[in-house]
Amino acid sequence: MRILIAEDDQVLADGLLRSLRGAGYAVDQVGNGSEADAALAAHEFDLVILDLGLPKLHGLEVLRKLRARGTSTPVLILTAADSVEQRVKGLDLGADDFMAKPFSLQELEARVRALTRRGLGTASSVIKHGPLTFDATGRVAYINDQMIDLSAREISLLEVLLQRAGRLVSKDQLVARLCEWGEEVSNNAIEVYIHRLRKKIEQGQIRIATVRGLGYCLEKIAA
């Protein structure tokens, strides 16, 4: 899961970065509205955390331009506690949720989980595929109800594959979903992560199929 934070208060932004990275998300941050608009036009994100009071380009304008491009990425807006009018405008422009400052990081993480589930078209935090179960809240995976010991990177990789189970996922798509700006991850590194994940989950009726030159597909094997 890749998240963009658009927040000009660097102390708050740093707190959000630590919290969300600690929860296993790939997170990028910008400090003004122009940078936010450029990032959203150039990259795909699973969620945007958008402060409305951004310099250079107001958060409402960033949101308006995002929706005008036909992008349905979930947006969580951050507002001052007394800005009811801006919250209403934000929701009317297509924001999915809002939080008034100051707020609890624990609550924000819960809202992030809910919005990313909504973006995937599901209300449950548990994804199942054959004998494989992934708990997005606890960030743990199970095979036949037995917990698997996975690294943070392997968990993130598995989550992406599960979200697209039965469909092809290219290496470029994996890099885009797993990596932050400035993070160097080669195609060879992706192959290493896939190899490690295979050894841990390919038990019985599930496998990660390789489509040579195109990517990977998580699929169930008929009994």
Side-chain angles (χ1 to χ4, degrees), residues 128-133 142-144 162 205-206 220:
K128 292 188 177 182
H129 190 65
L132 182 62
T133 302
Y142 302 85
I143 287 282
N144 296 319
L162 273 170
Q205 297 173 317
I206 196 161
K220 289 182 283 189

Side-chain angles (χ1 to χ4, degrees), residues 1 46 72-74 96 113-122:
M1 283 287 184
D46 297 292
S72 59
T73 303
D96 298 270
R113 290 193 295 269
L115 287 173
T116 51
R117 291 198 302 269
R118 188 185 304 173
L120 294 170
T122 178

